Amino acid sequence: DAFDGILKYYDRVNSVVRQLGALNADPTTITGAITLTSALHVGRTLLLDALAGGQIDLPAATGSGDKYNFIVMTALTSAAWIFRTNVVTGDVFKGGVLIDDTGGSAALAAAAFFPAGASDEVLTVDFAATLGTIGTYVEFTDIASGVFAVRGYLGGSLDPTTPWGVATT
């Protein structure tokens, strides 16, 4: 599309226009709470640049293949980055994230894998857990109706615990 630089195609089966991604898209900086849209955020590197984080709401999962890639550019000094599926439509996460165990009572020799549970719809990258360090990344892919695949690396943590949860609202 010459207007917005997004490569698109017409899905005749579902009668909708689908995006393949932005052509040479510049990164987009996120400085707080936001609700993502495929028109503005698919195919871009999304730079998380806020000392106090914020809530990031993903659009409803439809099986479009849309990808949302995040990288922490500023280390958190309080609060958290909270990633939420579209809880109104009952979307969930499948997959998991790696977290380094930087020491503590039962230090691991390497990163530990934390898989999302069957009903998890929230991923919290929390300052209190020493997550959200510069270079932390997470990727969400819309793989099916109601399902986002997720993978990532959440940085170091002291005796890490699961970052997954169910929305309270």
Side-chain angles (χ1 to χ4, degrees):
D1 186 314
F3 177 71
D4 61 10
I6 305 291
L7 184 59
K8 302 172 184 173
Y9 71 96
Y10 184 71
D11 177 350
R12 292 188 303 181
V13 173
N14 296 305
S15 299
V16 296
V17 174
R18 298 218 185 259
Q19 292 186 182
L20 296 176
L23 301 173
N24 299 319
D26 292 332
T28 298
T29 300
I30 296 175
T31 58
I34 188 170
T35 298
L36 300 179
T37 66
S38 61
L40 296 176
H41 302 104
V42 167
R44 296 180 181 273
T45 300
L46 304 169
L47 306 175
L48 301 176
D49 194 11
L51 297 173
Q55 182 170 301
I56 299 171
D57 292 321
L58 297 165
T62 62
S64 67
D66 288 351
K67 290 186 181 192
Y68 301 89
N69 301 302
F70 298 89
I71 298 174
V72 173
M73 298 301 291
T74 301
L76 293 171
T77 58
S78 64
W81 286 110
I82 301 168
F83 300 92
R84 289 175 25 128
T85 62
N86 189 315
V87 297
V88 173
T89 58
D91 294 358
V92 295
F93 290 127
K94 300 293 180 193
V97 293
L98 291 170
I99 303 175
D100 275 345
D101 184 347
T102 59
S105 60
L108 299 174
F113 181 73
F114 288 85
S119 60
D120 285 336
E121 52 198 9
V122 176
L123 171 63
T124 302
V125 180
D126 194 350
F127 167 75
T130 65
L131 302 176
T133 57
I134 293 172
T136 289
Y137 73 89
V138 64
E139 174 185 278
F140 302 98
T141 305
D142 179 357
I143 60 168
S145 179
V147 181
F148 274 99
V150 61
R151 65 181 178 164
Y153 170 76
L154 301 186
S157 182
L158 183 64
D159 295 333
T161 59
T162 185
W164 301 103
V166 176
T168 56
T169 57

